[in-house]
Amino acid sequence: MVVPAEHALHEAIQVSPLVISNDVRRQIIENRLAPMRFSSTTVKEIQDTFVSEMDKGIHQEPSSLQMENTYVPELVDGTEAGRFLALDLGGTNFRILLVELNKGTIVREEVKNYHIGSELRVGPGLRLFDYLAECVSDFVIGQGLQNVEVPLGFTFSFPMIQHSLDVGILVTWTKSFNCPDVVNKDAVQLLRDALARRGDTKVRVVAVLNDTTGTLIQGATLDPNTAIGLILGTGSNACYLERADRVEHWEPERHGEREVVIDIEWGAFGDNGVLDFIKTDFDRENDANSLLVNSFTFEKYIGGKYLGEIVRIVLTKFTKEGLIFVNQNPSLSFFTPGTLTSDLVSYIEQDTVDGSTDNTREVLAKYDIIPTEDDINVVQYVCEVVSNRAALLVSICLAALLERIDKKNVTIAIDGSLYKHHPRLEGWMNQYIALLVPSRKFKLIHVEDGSGKGAALVSAIAQRIKNRLT
């Protein structure tokens, strides 16, 4: 990848200038946030580090990138037909879907949502998986399919090591789950065992995947050039189509696969310290305030779970230093971690797009703050700098993937609440990726429900592969 000349990149990533009445304060604020605005040298270093970590991970050397073989060796090809189930587990609410395919196209879809109580999210894993099986049974019987053999794709959105398309070993729980006896166990086998204990359906679990892989697969039904899947929501991850001969992790043996989907698990990029050169004091405090300290380093720069918190940390530091909200008494919640969420950042960013101050005033009113014009300009500036850095970091890594895939046209399928609701992320990403890899043609498409529909499609692919090999 050829990084643009210093001046070209500098011009491209300029945020709106901070305009306030006090030049001394303006200079202090700009200087404090300068480390969040990268030079072309820093961009090149981030890019080289990401490529190096990918290479190490794909060769099973120590790396912060897992580069996990998903064993999904092909995308939809238009022959898929029949009924397929998906179980989408990633949070306190989960879904079961029934998808009917005809010539690779979804012609019917049934969905039911279920809730997992806190008592099931912690403690013995047996109770959790028995409950999942109970819900699968409820759904299948409700559809009148209890006597029909239906393949199921299991979206298990937690870090796992795959040994085949239908074996996923849990590495660690995240979010609000903590069933310790499931760690290092195969989630697919636990679900199969739970279904067998019930014995009231003929559901077959044929594949396990995460939401990123599902997004890529779902994207491929909308655009056959799709080769990258990206989640940019509360958390973030990406996957891509890799040449099979580059991948060392194959068990069982390959069957002539030319490509395979690789799950990068890029939320952990930098957990080994390789990204510390971009870490600011604001980022260190954000990490200290998080549930899992010293982990998910990259995600904490770009994920929706964290952008609002970074903005809050910056604003509270500026407040304590007398740079903003002078003679104001913000409510206690303003100084409480987690109270300024990323949807509020997106809301404030919309003001910048519209040339307005209404949203910014509304958000600050939640903290009993009546801002001056200067205060509003600083708040909008902070939101823009933090958001822009996230867009640039994502773009650097996507540009590296476009070079690695080396196809003339690549579509990037993206899902996630941050990407969907932030008013400027998509525009910045298009601009930065084009600047970083001008020789590559690419397109960003928004894909909804890769974790659901994508899982059903993967179960269809798994069924097709099985039929071909038997």
Side-chain angles (χ1 to χ4, degrees):
M1 189 191 313
V2 178
V3 174
E6 174 77 37
H7 70 277
L9 187 64
H10 180 75
E11 288 298 317
I13 63 175
Q14 283 295 303
V15 297
S16 305
L18 174 59
V19 178
I20 57 175
S21 59
N22 187 309
D23 277 344
V24 174
R25 285 184 185 172
R26 177 189 57 77
Q27 192 66 54
I28 292 171
I29 290 168
E30 287 180 340
N31 289 344
R32 292 291 302 279
L33 293 179
M36 289 188 173
R37 300 173 62 186
F38 304 142
S39 67
S40 63
T41 302
T42 302
V43 168
K44 181 70 164 62
E45 190 173 354
I46 295 167
Q47 157 201 315
D48 289 346
T49 303
F50 181 67
V51 170
S52 173
E53 291 290 284
M54 277 202 300
D55 286 338
K56 290 174 182 175
I58 206 81
H59 292 110
Q60 298 189 281
E61 299 170 7
S63 170
S64 61
L65 298 178
Q66 197 169 314
M67 301 295 287
E68 191 61 38
N69 186 344
T70 68
Y71 293 90
V72 178
E74 52 199 68
L75 308 182
V76 289
D77 65 5
T79 65
E80 298 81 8
R83 290 175 292 200
F84 301 89
L85 288 166
L87 169 57
D88 175 16
L89 176 67
T92 57
N93 296 302
F94 72 99
R95 301 172 303 152
I96 301 173
L97 298 86
L98 174 67
V99 169
E100 187 171 340
L101 298 174
N102 183 31
K103 296 181 181 179
T105 301
I106 296 173
V107 294
R108 175 174 166 247
E109 178 186 352
E110 302 289 339
V111 184
K112 188 169 182 179
N113 295 298
Y114 296 86
H115 177 73
I116 306 177
S118 58
E119 74 283 356
L120 292 174
R121 298 196 301 272
V122 297
L126 186 71
R127 291 187 309 177
L128 172 63
F129 280 85
D130 276 346
Y131 177 66
L132 295 178
E134 177 187 334
C135 294
V136 170
S137 175
D138 169 75
F139 180 82
V140 169
I141 292 172
Q143 295 293 324
L145 296 175
Q146 60 269 30
N147 295 316
V148 179
E149 194 172 272
V150 188
L152 180 144
F154 185 14
T155 299
F156 188 65
S157 295
F158 302 92
M160 59 181 167
I161 295 172
Q162 288 194 238
H163 296 299
S164 66
L165 183 54
D166 62 349
V167 175
I169 309 299
L170 175 66
V171 175
T172 180
W173 288 108
T174 57
K175 304 153 194 172
S176 60
F177 285 76
N178 187 18
C179 301
D181 59 341
V182 178
V183 176
N184 297 323
K185 299 283 182 63
D186 177 13
V188 171
Q189 193 57 51
L190 290 171
L191 181 58
R192 283 173 174 162
D193 290 345
L195 288 166
R197 282 192 292 273
R198 295 189 62 85
D200 55 357
T201 68
K202 293 186 177 182
V203 172
R204 291 186 302 108
V205 188
V206 298
V208 64
L209 64 151
N210 65 22
D211 51 357
T212 315
T213 303
T215 297
L216 191 160
I217 300 298
Q218 169 71 352
T221 68
L222 305 174
D223 187 325
N225 290 322
T226 301
I228 297 173
L230 169 65
I231 298 294
L232 195 51
T234 303
S236 185
N237 187 22
C239 65
Y240 71 104
L241 274 177
E242 176 63 276
R243 275 177 25 202
D245 59 5
R246 287 176 172 170
V247 182
E248 294 190 8
H249 177 188
W250 285 99
E251 40 174 318
E253 292 182 5
R254 288 174 55 195
H255 293 284
E257 294 88 350
R258 290 178 296 176
E259 295 179 313
V260 68
V261 176
I262 294 294
D263 169 25
I264 302 173
E265 289 293 338
W266 81 10
F269 177 32
D271 280 6
N272 56 356
V274 295
L275 269 188
D276 285 357
F277 63 94
I278 67 169
K279 189 171 287 186
T280 68
D281 288 342
F282 307 121
D283 298 310
R284 292 185 183 90
E285 185 170 335
N286 179 40
D287 184 39
N289 291 345
S290 68
L291 292 174
L292 297 165
V293 179
N294 296 324
S295 63
F296 298 100
T297 299
F298 193 58
E299 189 169 277
K300 286 171 182 170
Y301 294 118
I302 64 176
K305 186 175 182 179
Y306 304 102
L307 286 192
E309 177 62 10
I310 297 171
V311 168
R312 189 199 65 83
I313 289 167
V314 173
L315 294 180
T316 56
K317 284 187 178 295
F318 287 176
T319 302
K320 292 173 182 176
E321 294 167 10
L323 296 171
I324 53 172
F325 308 143
V326 179
N327 299 322
Q328 293 278 319
N329 290 303
S331 64
L332 184 62
S333 63
F334 182 63
F335 300 97
T336 305
T339 56
L340 202 164
T341 52
S342 294
D343 61 321
L344 296 179
V345 174
S346 295
Y347 196 53
I348 292 170
E349 277 280 88
Q350 188 61 49
D351 266 358
T352 307
V353 173
D354 298 339
S356 174
T357 65
D358 294 347
N359 294 354
T360 310
R361 292 180 188 277
E362 184 182 333
V363 170
L364 293 175
K366 297 175 184 293
Y367 305 103
D368 300 331
I369 296 170
I370 302 173
T372 65
E373 200 67 35
D374 281 356
D375 290 335
I376 288 173
N377 289 343
V378 171
V379 170
Q380 291 181 350
Y381 180 76
V382 171
C383 287
E384 182 171 351
V385 168
V386 171
S387 299
N388 188 276
R389 180 182 68 162
L392 181 56
L393 285 168
V394 171
S395 300
I396 291 168
C397 296
L398 290 176
L401 290 178
L402 288 172
E403 282 231 318
R404 187 178 187 93
I405 293 170
D406 198 21
K407 293 183 178 180
K408 288 184 178 180
N409 295 292
V410 171
T411 296
I412 302 168
I414 309 175
D415 195 8
S417 55
L418 183 64
Y419 181 80
K420 182 177 180 179
H421 296 298
H422 194 291
R424 295 207 278 176
L425 279 184
E426 181 181 10
W428 280 329
M429 287 167 60
N430 271 310
Q431 180 185 9
Y432 296 154
I433 295 168
L435 187 69
L436 290 163
V437 278
S439 62
R440 295 288 188 269
K441 290 184 179 179
F442 70 95
K443 181 169 64 173
L444 308 181
I445 61 170
H446 182 215
V447 172
E448 303 227 43
D449 195 20
S451 58
K453 296 174 185 173
L457 291 165
V458 170
S459 68
I461 293 169
Q463 183 68 30
R464 185 178 70 228
I465 293 169
K466 179 185 176 184
N467 292 341
R468 192 167 65 222
L469 296 175
T470 55

